[in-house]
Amino acid sequence: MASMVVQLLGFFLGLLGFAGTVFATLLPHWRSTAYMGSNITTATVYMKGLWMECVWHSTGIYQCELYRSLLALPRDLQAARALMVLSCVTSVLASLLSVLGMKCTRFARDSLIKSPLLLSGGICFLCAGLLCLITVSWTTNDVIMDFYDPFLPSGLRYEIGLAVYLGYASACLSLTGGLVLCWSSSGGRSQRPRHKQRNQPLSPPPAFNHIYPPAPPYKPPEALKDSHAPSLCSLSSSGYRLNNYV
């Protein structure tokens, strides 16, 4: 029962990480305009994401425009797209494998394939978390390097957006869920052989008849005396003489 609760905990942590990764991929709040120096303005806020650019006006108008050309995008943005999409796909695969490998499901119940499936799901959650963590760390480094670049105009400097922080939280949840699932699967595999050894019936001792030949039957001394052939003395005592036949 305790192992089942641990598996459910790891699975729901992985699901939360997967949901956060999807939202972080779709949201445009990866980079936002920096308020600095004499160029402070609260009338307009510019935001950049992986798929679109958005502008928010103080009047409440929110406008977004999708990137029209894929080849015209910077290489770092293309790589970030690919890594986040791959992280989402890996999380889907991890969710399917974890559902099949958990003890609370009916698929292959009491089978040896349960633990490998759960371990595969945990490893996929770990890979998804690492992919998301690499992407948000890379974006954070680019934003910080551009922000402190003295040759870059102040109007082109951006700050870290909310989607990046959401990506960090999602990566941590996916990594934690994957570790919990891997730990629970290894614990289930270590306890299963002991259970089999306890329930295995004892084998009967080997038969001695197949090892040693059977002993001869016991005969009393009287039976041995009767089996001897009659001697000459016994023939003479019974009334017959040997001279009569010679």
Side-chain angles (χ1 to χ4, degrees):
M1 184 64 182
S3 60
M4 188 181 300
V5 174
V6 173
Q7 291 177 5
L8 288 174
L9 176 62
F11 177 68
F12 283 117
L13 287 176
L15 278 184
L16 288 177
F18 169 53
T21 304
V22 172
F23 281 111
T25 305
L26 298 178
L27 288 177
H29 303 79
W30 283 70
R31 303 184 184 191
S32 59
T33 51
Y35 303 101
M36 53 180 298
S38 58
N39 295 328
I40 297 177
T41 173
T42 57
T44 306
V45 177
Y46 296 94
M47 293 165 288
K48 285 186 176 182
L50 300 180
W51 311 94
M52 64 187 74
E53 292 182 355
C54 295
V55 179
W56 180 81
H57 301 276
S58 59
T59 56
I61 300 175
Y62 198 84
Q63 296 177 346
C64 293
E65 183 180 1
L66 295 174
Y67 297 126
R68 297 181 179 179
S69 176
L70 177 63
L71 300 177
L73 296 176
R75 293 183 178 179
D76 57 346
L77 186 57
Q78 296 180 10
R81 276 185 174 186
L83 291 177
M84 292 301 290
V85 171
L86 186 59
S87 177
C88 294
V89 173
T90 310
S91 296
V92 173
L93 180 61
S95 302
L96 294 177
L97 292 175
S98 300
V99 168
L100 296 178
M102 287 191 299
K103 293 182 179 180
C104 58
T105 58
R106 296 184 179 180
F107 175 79
R109 181 170 292 181
D110 299 332
S111 177
L112 296 177
I113 202 175
K114 279 281 190 180
S115 295
L117 285 175
L118 189 63
L119 180 62
S120 302
I123 293 175
C124 288
F125 272 125
L126 290 176
C127 294
L130 287 176
L131 290 173
C132 183
L133 184 62
I134 290 173
T135 307
V136 294
S137 300
W138 190 357
T139 303
T140 302
N141 180 63
D142 289 344
V143 172
I144 293 175
M145 294 296 292
D146 292 341
F147 186 84
Y148 290 105
D149 189 2
F151 300 101
L152 193 66
S154 59
L156 299 178
R157 297 180 182 180
Y158 289 87
E159 289 185 351
I160 302 173
L162 297 177
V164 176
Y165 297 109
L166 181 59
Y168 278 115
S170 303
C172 293
L173 288 174
S174 297
L175 291 174
T176 305
L179 288 175
V180 171
L181 289 177
C182 292
W183 177 77
S184 62
S185 65
S186 62
R189 287 189 300 171
S190 61
Q191 294 177 359
R192 183 169 296 173
R194 297 178 183 176
H195 181 70
K196 283 189 174 182
Q197 290 178 1
R198 291 179 181 177
N199 295 337
Q200 187 176 4
L202 296 177
S203 58
F208 291 97
N209 296 332
H210 299 284
I211 302 177
Y212 302 100
Y218 174 75
K219 293 183 179 181
E222 292 78 7
L224 294 175
K225 289 181 180 180
D226 297 338
S227 61
H228 287 292
S231 61
L232 295 176
C233 297
S234 62
L235 290 174
S236 61
S237 61
S238 60
Y240 295 96
R241 292 184 180 179
L242 186 63
N243 297 329
N244 298 330
Y245 297 93
V246 175

